[in-house]
């Protein structure tokens, strides 16, 4: 019997980390053939060129697609999506996959969904059923309505996808594959590399051995004019800390210029002594860094997801992760420097939380591959009510 | 106070009929300015060039967008949608509307939705919440998840949109604007024009004064290879009738070539004596033709919607209208010539049904305009559960 | 040494005939690998689906690209070209050819040129340096200015490309590969198939054994409103002949609807007794049909090119082939039915012309392959004056 | 008589400076209506957002078009062009201009040319007939072959366009409109603003009153991997000077990341004491800065063009301006720090050159407007030989 061809489209650095264990499991599954498409900001230096990491990890791209229109504003986000639909349609047409996998809820993921669904290729959606604010919220649920098979990350998400009118047999909680990576590294007792030595970055050379914070804050699409203001609140807050801080550059999104601009200006003017900036890091090393940190600050989904399993305290700022299922390790604060500062300071003196399995037990990749290999693949459905 | 700019995108001939009364009401509303975009097959001669009708009706296009890629297959449908996203984004960016209206569930309507939603323009979806088969089903509900305000056509549809997680205050049953046109002509006692004289078309010159059938059958996207077979069953069935038949050419969709081909071949080979073919007709005249017909045959939504109000019997073939709310006037049959023949014959001898208001009372256009003028317009939402 | 990868883009049925012998020679050359891209109207049923012929001839497509926007007007021609640039860029990026071949002067060929030239892939232009009217004239010379290596079809064309500022060493007269096919069949003494039996088509079943005419007339882009009028002149003229006529449907171009419409209307109304219509024919069979015909009528380049070698009389109508190098076999007439009629009638009573080698000696395919295998490939140049 | 609608497409900051006086003259001409389209990098902050300057200068955009695909490599340059063709076609289709003006030779200008020429809109090309290296060379002459009217900047350019087969009556030497701006400011005796105070920028606060150099060096497309190396040679050279240096950031082009990267790294590591960096400047102020400088260093066309009229010495590095007509003020050097250093140092001690009018007398804008108002506009041509 010929192997099922599974086409996975990775359009950004964070999506890669989130799907990596599934990619490995698909690649190694005897009944599956992986067709990996690398597209969007995953190809761009400005956003950490995930393609490099992906290929270093031993994956080979079946196709690459440049599709990000410059401007980082709502208009270019929409056009980027249109370009993605055109290009990915062509890619699928020529690759002829048996199923296409679209990941989560970034704005351009709907391009993958349309290109597959309209060509009658069974569409598998990973990480549907969650809730956030902004355009992601619309995109995620639209992806659900275009998809035929839903591999979700939590029981709560499963319930929600079923409520959206999907056939319960087509909605399976595999847990989140990002937890698989966490599981891999979560027994390591010490940070086994020197982040500054290994990854360079810019800013002061910090002594992080006695505890450090990690910051990752993305712009929130529908408020992109405020991105600069928001990032400055966080910068001011963590700059007052007595502890060293590792700060990660945001990924592409409308408004990242506001955010990036804020960071650059702050660096030039304030020359913060306790902050070191990184553009990107190998996903596993990033998890190691998180695991051994005192606190993660910002609005990254890693705080909600990976840190729940690790039990690392999280100071979650603003509305970006609103209503995402979260563990006890998360403290929510608004974009106010004082509140941020207090919350971060507290976490330095608090104990670690026990890990939680609300996002899975760390075996999602294998479960996903097995389902893709064995479940019936169809491309036609009607709403259940 | 400046008028609210309402941008309505019409991408096909049938969508125009379905929205016409609302366009008129928007255009005439003192607080609204209509920005009409004519796109897709609405510009193409092969699909009846709706743009001509639209302009003859006194509407002026703010922009026109060619976007239909040739091929009439699933691949070109997807690419057409991508092109639509790119182009409509640009059109909205330059027109700066206060709200964008997307209509129903044709595959390319999601282009309108993405172009508006991603640019943070409040998106109004007309005719969400219904149920059918094929790709339309996915597109319609995805449109719902991208839209901010839902103007639905029936109570059943309203319930379904709310179940999909939308805020009940944002889901309003206006009835279907297509019924407004029906109401306009439904008191006319006789057909006040000669269809063949007025519209030409090809085929025999029929004596229709003593009763006639109307046929309109579209290809069903996900089975486009069977389109030819399906259309031949219907052709064989109506060719056996003793009554004259007016047959309407299908609109653009994947597979229309199978359908068109079937029709052309049948005409050349069988030279049917009782069938006359039309490419298109003024929407009001089409409704008049329906009202005075003995039966509508095929799978057009006009059978479900307009004919419910008119009480005209409908022989609905195949799965295209599966699960759409329908009146007692509809009889469902499979793609089998005998079943079709019997059902059509019966209807010639049966009485008319009483009209039903399941799709509205014929004042939808005014209700839509009023809501667009007065309701709060927003572009941010989260699922209700 | 790895084989040189030569990517040839075929975008239309006539381009395929024109390049076929070169494709074969490239495929069989020990130092070359053929990457065949089938795009544009070559994929569409309405234009004779050249892809079917191509695959039946044993070629395998490395990629297929739907890119023709519907509308058949100047606006959609331009957009089609833009889509082509986007898509072909992606195809070349993923195929990584050592050289790309663009053919002649159809409007969409500049998409191939830009996609290659901008990506620093050496661009080879086949059949530059000729002269015609209409948009082709602009496109052809623009292709020349984007290309790095020019394989032209005549000495006159070679002189012209050099005058355009190209390095004489990069301009080589290989002759036209379309002549290679002609050479293959030109010793056959009789037409070895029955065209109507083998290809069907529509119209009367003609007795062609005692001589027949062939008609092929394309719309002229910049006058597309007049296309209908022009075609009717030709139809009226050949309908008056006492001889049977084989008429070929035009290929895609702005205005083909005017032309197609004219043909369809004429058929329905006049029901011409001596004309049989074909949509397409295997290229070799088409040449056989030409070789044994009394005259070719219309504005096809086959009249200028293939018929010069065959010595078949040509009645060339209108400006489409203006200023193309031609043999003594060509008689030019305007779009006037009387002039067309007289010229065609004369040719039935005249002798065949001796063949001419102005477009090559029938070995162009091999010459092209050899040059592609051995010449230096570069992608940088400056004008010679 | 209705005014002629002249659509000018500005796709980049430098193109704006080059066309500004013509825009003004068109806008003020009684027989002309200006339709200004702002597109490409002219809309992007990263490239100095020319749209801001343009609107501050009192021009209103008839349409804006985001079209730059991220990646700054040959692949995204090509795709950007394809997007441009699609979008600009739509823009012209809706604006219905009587003529379209495309400027010079940036890679995306061919998008303007195709969108106009294919839609049978008379195409006017400004600044054809010049010679350089790289992809610009191909694009410029391809633009010439697509254009109907050629308004060139020098007699040499006029001769070359005629040699390319254009009708001499359609090739008019207006001089370069960029010289018009130079003329405006060239009688000012002192620099009337403080560049650092007015424009900020980054780097040391320099005392420039006793003489300074200006640097502007763009990446050369076809060698984009070497861009970083090239820029470092220049940085090292000017860093050794005893004089202050104003350095301008390069515009968008494949490889600008190599260049930008080189500049950023050099700044971080070497912290050059005598260099101040600007991202952009009002075009008139930039000319003022040039006029009062000791020397312009780099490969900007301003060195060839504007500085010839000003008589300011230019150290022109590398091949980018190869074969452009130049005055005696230009000294050419390779990408070698020693040669650059020597040449720049020399110029500080040399006298100013007398100005030259090889690129016009400073009245090009008015001449262009008058020609656009009065010349016959056509869209059909054939090569002259």
């Amino acid at each position: 019997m010929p192997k099922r061809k599974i086409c996975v489209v990775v359009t950004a650095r964070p999506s890669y980390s989130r799907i990596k264990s599934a990619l490995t499991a698909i690649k190694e599954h005897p009944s599956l053939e992986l067709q990996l498409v690398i597209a969007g900001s995953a190809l761009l230096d400005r956003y950490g060129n995930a393609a490099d990491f992906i290929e270093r990890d031993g994956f080979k791209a079946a196709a690459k697609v440049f599709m990000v229109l410059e401007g980082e504003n709502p208009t270019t986000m929409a056009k980027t999506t249109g370009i993605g639909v055109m290009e990915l349609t062509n890619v699928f047409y020529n690759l002829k996959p048996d199923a296409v996998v679209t990941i989560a809820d970034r704005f351009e993921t709907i391009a993958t969904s349309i290109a597959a669904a309209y060509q009658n290729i069974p569409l598998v959606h990973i990480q549907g059923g969650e809730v956030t604010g902004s355009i992601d919220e619309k995109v995620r649920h639209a992806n659900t309505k275009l998809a035929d098979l839903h591999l979700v990350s939590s029981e709560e998400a499963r319930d929600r996808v079923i409520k959206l009118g999907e056939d319960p047999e087509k909605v399976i909680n595999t847990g989140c594959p990002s937890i698989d990576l966490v599981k891999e590294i979560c027994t390591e007792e010490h940070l086994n590399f020197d982040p500054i030595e290994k990854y360079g970055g810019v800013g002061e050379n910090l002594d992080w051995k006695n505890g450090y914070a990690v910051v990752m804050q993305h712009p929130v699409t529908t408020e992109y004019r405020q991105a600069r203001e928001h990032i400055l609140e966080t910068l001011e807050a963590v700059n007052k800390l007595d502890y060293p801080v590792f700060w990660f550059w945001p990924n592409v999104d409308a408004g990242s210029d506001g955010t990036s601009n804020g960071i650059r200006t702050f660096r030039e003017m304030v020359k913060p002594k306790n902050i070191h900036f990184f553009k990107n890091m190998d996903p596993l090393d990033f998890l190691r860094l998180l695991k051994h940190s005192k606190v993660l600050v910002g609005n990254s989904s890693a705080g909600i997801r990976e840190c729940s399993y690790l039990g690392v305290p999280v100071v979650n700022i603003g509305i970006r992760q609103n209503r995402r299922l979260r563990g006890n390790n998360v403290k929510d604060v608004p974009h106010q420097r004082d509140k941020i500062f207090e919350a971060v300071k507290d976490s330095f003196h608090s104990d670690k939380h026990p890990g939680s399995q609300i996002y899975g037990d760390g075996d999602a990749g294998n479960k996903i591959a097995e389902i893709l290999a064995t479940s019936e693949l169809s491309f036609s459905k009607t709403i259940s009510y």
Side-chain angles (χ1 to χ4, degrees), chain A:
Chain A
M1 213 179 68
K3 292 180 176 192
R4 274 189 182 175
K5 288 176 284 183
I6 306 296
C7 182
V8 182
V9 183
V10 173
T11 59
R13 191 184 48 168
S15 310
Y16 174 57
S17 314
R18 199 162 290 177
I19 198 70
K20 187 183 166 188
S21 72
L23 291 180
T24 304
I26 293 168
K27 193 181 155 200
E28 293 176 354
H29 197 289
S31 316
L32 299 177
E33 175 188 332
L34 175 63
Q35 296 179 323
L36 177 62
V37 175
I38 309 179
S41 68
L43 291 172
L44 299 176
D45 288 337
R46 286 215 295 156
Y47 305 102
N49 205 330
D52 284 354
F53 288 107
I54 294 173
E55 289 172 347
R56 222 173 297 147
D57 287 344
F59 297 106
K60 209 177 151 321
K64 294 182 181 177
V65 180
F66 288 99
M67 55 185 254
V68 179
L69 205 66
E70 275 217 37
E72 295 174 298
N73 58 46
T75 300
T76 56
M77 278 170 57
K79 281 194 176 183
T80 291
T81 305
I83 297 167
V85 174
M86 287 180 66
E87 302 273 18
L88 292 172
T89 296
N90 213 39
V91 166
F92 299 163
Y93 175 72
N94 283 292
L95 289 180
K96 305 196 190 325
D98 294 303
V100 163
V101 176
T102 191
I103 305 163
D105 53 22
R106 286 177 55 88
F107 68 89
E108 76 275 14
T109 56
I110 206 171
T112 302
S113 300
I114 291 173
Y118 281 42
Q119 291 189 94
N120 298 333
I121 304 168
L123 176 67
V124 183
H125 185 212
I126 306 266
Q127 287 172 23
E130 307 193 9
V131 191
T132 56
S134 92
I135 188 71
D136 299 356
E137 170 75 3
K138 292 181 176 176
V139 172
R140 185 187 320 104
H141 302 316
N143 278 341
T144 292
K145 296 316 296 179
L146 292 167
D148 305 289
L149 181 61
H150 312 271
L151 306 184
V152 300
S153 295
S154 69
E155 280 306 301
E156 192 193 85
R158 181 164 188 267
D159 289 348
R160 205 172 278 116
V161 170
I162 292 169
K163 274 191 186 157
L164 277 162
E166 299 299 302
D167 176 355
E169 294 198 2
K170 296 288 195 178
V171 192
I172 303 169
N173 177 9
T174 59
C176 181
S178 65
I179 303 301
D180 300 12
L181 299 189
V182 181
K183 193 184 179 192
E184 246 181 74
I185 59 93
C186 80
T187 54
E188 297 173 5
E189 290 198 9
H190 302 289
L191 188 56
N192 56 11
F193 66 99
D194 181 320
I196 296 174
E197 202 182 299
K198 185 161 178 188
Y199 289 98
V202 297
E204 297 295 316
N205 195 342
L206 309 171
D207 176 9
W208 47 268
K209 294 284 163 60
N210 298 314
Y212 57 87
V214 176
V215 184
M216 193 173 221
Q217 183 169 334
H218 300 287
V220 176
T221 312
T222 55
E223 319 177 4
Y224 77 109
R225 284 162 199 284
Q226 306 167 4
R228 200 170 186 279
E229 204 175 291
H230 285 170
I231 204 73
L232 287 175
E233 291 295 314
T234 307
L235 282 157
E236 293 284 2
V238 304
N239 190 29
K240 284 198 299 175
L241 289 171
D242 297 329
Y243 311 99
V245 172
F246 293 125
W247 187 297
F248 284 81
W249 221 247
N251 61 306
V252 66
D253 247 38
S256 99
D257 250 12
T259 302
S260 306
N261 225 306
I263 298 174
R264 262 194 295 268
T265 311
F266 190 84
R267 276 194 56 219
E268 300 252 352
M269 289 173 46
V270 177
K271 301 195 202 319
K273 289 271 177 280
N274 67 330
I275 313 183
H276 192 90
F277 294 87
F278 293 112
K279 237 183 165 168
N280 51 67
M281 192 169 274
D282 173 88
L284 279 182
D285 280 351
F286 177 65
L287 292 175
R288 289 182 178 109
L289 198 73
L290 281 186
K291 166 162 168 61
H292 299 286
S293 73
K294 289 289 188 187
V295 59
L296 172 67
V297 183
N299 59 12
S300 166
S301 64
I304 302 303
R305 211 171 280 266
E306 284 87 344
C307 290
S308 74
Y309 189 89
L310 288 169
V312 169
V314 170
V315 174
N316 180 65
I317 308 172
I319 64 166
R320 190 162 184 265
Q321 302 299 334
N322 255 11
R323 294 192 48 196
R324 284 236 197 229
L325 174 68
R326 60 196 68 195
N328 297 326
N329 61 316
V330 178
K331 181 166 172 54
D332 288 283
V333 297
H335 287 289
Q336 295 175 14
R337 60 188 77 178
D338 297 345
K339 301 251 168 79
I340 298 168
F341 175 74
E342 289 304 327
V344 175
K345 216 180 63 181
D346 284 359
S347 66
F348 262 83
H349 302 292
S350 68
D351 291 336
K352 251 201 181 168
H353 296 261
S356 140
Q357 297 205 354
I358 50 175
Y359 282 106
D361 60 4
D363 195 35
N366 289 325
K367 288 179 191 162
I368 288 171
E370 191 58 26
I371 292 165
L372 291 173
T374 57
S375 76
E376 191 202 12
L377 297 174
S378 61
F379 57 81
S380 189
K381 68 175 185 182
T382 48
I383 198 165
S384 65
Y385 40 75

